[in-house]
Amino acid sequence: MRTVKELRLAGLFAYLAALVLGLLFSYLLHSLLGGGGRLGWESFNFTGLLEGLGFLLFFTFALYVAKKAVRVPCTTLLTAGLLWPTPARRLARPLPRVEALEAYEGRGVALLVQEGRPVGLLGLSDHILPLEEVPSVEAEVAVSELSPLFLRQPLVLVVKGEEVVGAISREAFFRYLGA
């Protein structure tokens, strides 16, 4: 799972690589067409229009290939990492904590805590699920990276070190994606 920082850097590098490739392709066209192309503020000609169109097409194609290669969300790629994906901690909702099984009322998912440390999860199945069996991610992991986990589990825990920050449900994840 990649963090938000890693995705921002990947988006920046992919965007810069596509930009450089587009400029190189435009320069190649410029050289092949005799170097007379002008596409600027004061004047332009047909050769300059071809060079500009070549840059746009190759830059767009390079962005498409880069998106497939680095698997970065579109907004992060198109803004060169200025707009980053949401971290998991922002989508996570706190879980109610239960000190003893007798205190659990059977409504919703709750975190079973013994001696101040979380040990299991109640409400997902007919028994207590140990925390090792529930998928968990660090708080700074990008939400866009969580889709493989939701194919198997209805809930993902968000942790920061040993502390459980909260949980993201499958419904909240798909609502975030707009599905």
Side-chain angles (χ1 to χ4, degrees), residues 26-106:
S26 178
Y27 179 72
L28 179 66
L29 276 178
H30 179 75
S31 298
L32 289 175
L33 296 175
R38 290 187 309 259
L39 183 64
W41 295 104
E42 293 181 15
S43 65
F44 64 92
N45 59 11
F46 181 71
T47 309
L49 288 175
L50 282 178
E51 292 171 12
L53 184 64
F55 168 77
L56 270 176
L57 291 175
F58 201 79
F59 176 66
T60 305
F61 175 72
L63 278 177
Y64 174 74
V65 170
K67 182 179 179 342
K68 294 292 182 186
V70 295
R71 294 183 356 260
V72 175
C74 275
T75 54
T76 304
L77 178 64
L78 293 177
T79 61
L82 293 177
L83 293 179
W84 54 87
T86 305
R89 66 178 156 69
R90 288 200 41 217
L91 199 59
R93 297 292 167 240
L95 291 172
R97 296 176 182 264
V98 175
E99 293 289 331
L101 284 175
E102 297 80 31
Y104 179 63
E105 298 174 0

Side-chain angles (χ1 to χ4, degrees), residues 124 129 133-135 148-156 169-170:
L124 278 182
L129 279 176
E133 292 182 19
V134 181
L149 296 176
F150 284 110
L151 293 175
R152 292 170 286 179
Q153 296 290 332
L155 189 82
V156 172
S169 67
R170 184 182 288 155

Side-chain angles (χ1 to χ4, degrees), residues 165-178:
V165 175
I168 303 172
S169 67
R170 184 182 288 155
E171 293 79 25
F173 174 73
F174 285 121
R175 203 173 325 119
Y176 166 79
L177 291 179

Side-chain angles (χ1 to χ4, degrees), residues 2-25:
R2 296 180 295 176
T3 64
V4 172
K5 183 179 180 180
E6 292 169 345
L7 285 176
R8 288 182 71 189
L9 282 175
L12 173 66
F13 290 142
Y15 183 86
L16 291 176
L19 182 65
V20 167
L21 288 174
L23 289 172
L24 285 175
F25 185 75

